[in-house]
Amino acid sequence: MSTIADLGDLAGKRVLVRSDLNVPLDGTTITDDGRIRASVPTIRALSEAGARVIVCAHLGRPKGVGPEPAYSLAPVAARLEELLGRPVVFAQDAVGDSARAAVDDLADGGVVLLENLRFNAGETSKDDVERGGFADQLAGLADAFVSDGFGVVHRKQASVYDIATRLPSAMGGLVQAEVEVLKRLTEDPERPYAVVLGGAKVSDKLAVIANLLQTADRLLIGGGMVFTFLAAQGLEVGKSLLEVDQIDTVRGYLADAAGRGVEIVLPVDIVAATAFSADAEHEVVAAEAIPADRMGLDIGPASGELFAGKLADCRTVFWNGPMGAFEMAPYAAGTKAVAEALVAATAGGALTVVGGGDSAAAVRQLGFTDDQFGHISTGGGASLEYLEGKTLPGLDILDRT
Ligand code: ADP
Ligand code: MG
């Protein structure tokens, strides 16, 4: 796959960069600028190479029928300017006269951010012609394309996929770094290799579990999805999250794992609450003794220790999905225990990777810093699909062009 260096001398060239700037907003206040920070190095490198940098991105899920102020990238332009330490011009639309005028005014090294791509229906259209038409308009603004939005590389969208068939294209530094880490997880990982899975729904992660059973040595399960595993073993799970229609599939996985010698580690104790609330009465119970009128909202302290022990000797760890409803303080301890175990493993030289928006938010909320882990992925969905063994359209197209 081409890298930026393969694009040759960029001085004076107009380079369109697809970044992932989809940050959480409270009104117009950015509550976590992690994705902007992660995008800065590539934008800076292009600017320093003398390129005229045209950044494009999406924010949220607008309807695709024109501007919606709540989804404007204007606050992102201001933050990007601060982090970059140089002016960022903001164009009122991703294509059309305002985009054209902003690009025409760019000096070498200058940076413009285009307004939310998804204000245009063509960006996410399932219709190849409509999507292609929008990609043509974007391509008309630039001489080259750099794909750096790892969080969207699994999407077949105009600014991710179609654009790469219209311009000389390369992956940016962020996508390159993410792909290198994912390769280390899939191509001959150092062993023992453990995967910790949590989060809300088992159905979101079934495909990846099936694939991981072929590569991982240990699978540690927590979060809301664990109750489907406990139910598959015939245990009472009370009012906990349960996907009844997945119980048979999960039983199949347990049998498959046993046959392959993959160790599946389930919690031995659970924090069981009377309601999904921080104020609800809650207590630690054995995993076999969840009361019928309670719901499990975190793994218990003995499970935290058990999981930490299973991670201590690992050389490779991938973690996706919080161990509990960590947004509420009484149910954050299990997630914290796993985060601490990853930090210790990292210090001991293991490759540790945290994937998933909520998982990344959880480690930051719990006071950990990014450098305590080997890698915090900016794309949960993309990294899971990669581990599933799926073809990611935004990477595949770079290979083919
Ligand atoms: P990620 O974004 O890291 O991939 P998910 O989106 O799969 O993670 O899951 C995160 C959500 O799972 C969090 O909002 C968390 O509150 C929820 N969750 C974790 N454990 C439980 C549980 N036992 N019951 C209900 N929700 C849970
Ligand atoms: Mg999530």
Side-chain angles (χ1 to χ4, degrees):
M1 242 182 290
S2 307
T3 62
I4 290 175
D6 298 315
L7 294 174
D9 182 10
L10 293 176
K13 279 206 187 150
R14 299 169 304 164
V15 179
L16 181 74
V17 191
R18 176 52 157 112
S19 299
D20 177 9
L21 304 175
N22 188 24
V23 291
L25 286 176
D26 183 2
T28 57
T29 306
I30 296 165
T31 53
D32 177 358
D33 66 1
R35 284 179 168 156
I36 308 177
R37 285 178 185 278
S39 302
V40 161
T42 296
I43 296 169
R44 177 173 288 133
L46 291 168
S47 167
E48 285 174 356
R52 303 177 181 200
V53 189
I54 308 156
V55 184
C56 66
H58 77 281
L59 183 78
R61 294 175 186 267
K63 291 181 202 74
V65 292
E68 288 174 63
Y71 295 107
S72 173
L73 279 168
V76 172
R79 186 74 186 120
L80 179 60
E81 183 165 280
E82 284 169 13
L83 291 168
L84 209 53
R86 59 165 307 145
V88 173
V89 176
F90 184 58
Q92 299 302 316
D93 192 2
V95 293
D97 293 342
S98 59
R100 165 67 58 198
V103 170
D104 285 348
D105 279 350
L106 273 180
D108 293 1
V111 179
V112 56
L113 173 64
L114 304 177
E115 179 57 291
N116 196 340
L117 290 159
R118 293 190 185 171
F119 289 168
N120 298 274
E123 169 65 0
T124 57
S125 176
K126 298 277 178 254
D127 177 51
D128 290 352
V129 175
E130 187 181 23
R131 230 180 37 245
F134 183 61
D136 284 336
Q137 285 182 280
L138 284 173
L141 296 171
D143 306 304
F145 171 63
V146 169
S147 180
D148 208 35
F150 181 71
V152 288
V153 287
H154 58 314
R155 305 282 184 214
K156 191 175 180 182
Q157 296 177 345
S159 69
V160 179
Y161 176 83
D162 305 84
I163 187 79
T165 65
R166 289 163 167 79
L167 291 173
S169 299
M171 57 180 170
L174 178 60
V175 164
Q176 197 182 344
E178 295 272 10
V179 169
E180 273 164 19
V181 167
L182 288 168
K183 279 203 176 131
R184 287 175 67 190
L185 294 180
T186 45
E187 294 170 9
D188 198 18
E190 260 196 80
R191 297 181 183 281
Y193 170 29
V195 175
V196 189
L197 286 178
K201 290 171 71 185
V202 68
S203 49
D204 288 348
K205 298 182 182 171
L206 283 177
V208 77
I209 295 174
N211 217 281
L212 289 169
L213 288 175
Q214 299 172 39
T215 47
D217 302 304
R218 290 176 200 153
L219 206 50
L220 284 56
I221 312 268
M225 60 192 269
V226 82
F227 302 102
T228 305
F229 279 81
L230 296 177
Q233 297 185 318
L235 297 176
E236 163 77 52
V237 298
K239 294 192 290 173
S240 308
L241 276 183
L242 173 64
E243 288 175 88
V244 176
D245 54 338
Q246 306 295 349
I247 290 179
D248 279 344
T249 311
V250 165
R251 254 186 216 129
Y253 289 159
L254 290 169
D256 189 21
R260 289 174 186 277
V262 176
E263 188 181 4
I264 295 203
V265 184
L266 298 176
V268 291
D269 59 349
I270 296 289
V271 180
T274 51
F276 191 79
S277 150
D279 314 320
E281 200 187 306
H282 57 273
E283 63 179 342
V284 175
V285 300
E288 311 84 67
I290 301 173
D293 60 350
R294 295 217 175 197
M295 61 179 72
L297 292 182
D298 194 11
I299 61 171
S303 308
E305 273 181 43
L306 171 70
F307 283 20
K310 296 287 181 189
L311 297 175
D313 63 332
C314 285
R315 301 297 304 161
T316 309
V317 183
F318 175 73
W319 174 25
N320 171 277
M323 295 292 99
F326 73 94
E327 296 92 338
M328 298 182 276
Y331 317 116
T335 301
K336 190 165 187 211
V338 166
E340 277 165 355
L342 260 76
V343 168
T346 314
L351 170 66
T352 61
V353 180
V354 183
D358 292 293
S359 310
V363 298
R364 293 187 183 122
Q365 183 192 308
L366 293 169
F368 297 92
T369 55
D370 292 17
D371 59 7
Q372 291 178 288
F373 303 89
H375 181 74
I376 298 189
S377 177
T378 53
S383 48
L384 285 178
E385 289 198 12
Y386 190 101
L387 294 182
E388 268 173 45
K390 277 198 190 167
T391 302
L392 308 189
L395 295 181
D396 185 46
I397 197 71
L398 294 179
D399 269 336
R400 287 196 275 136
T401 52

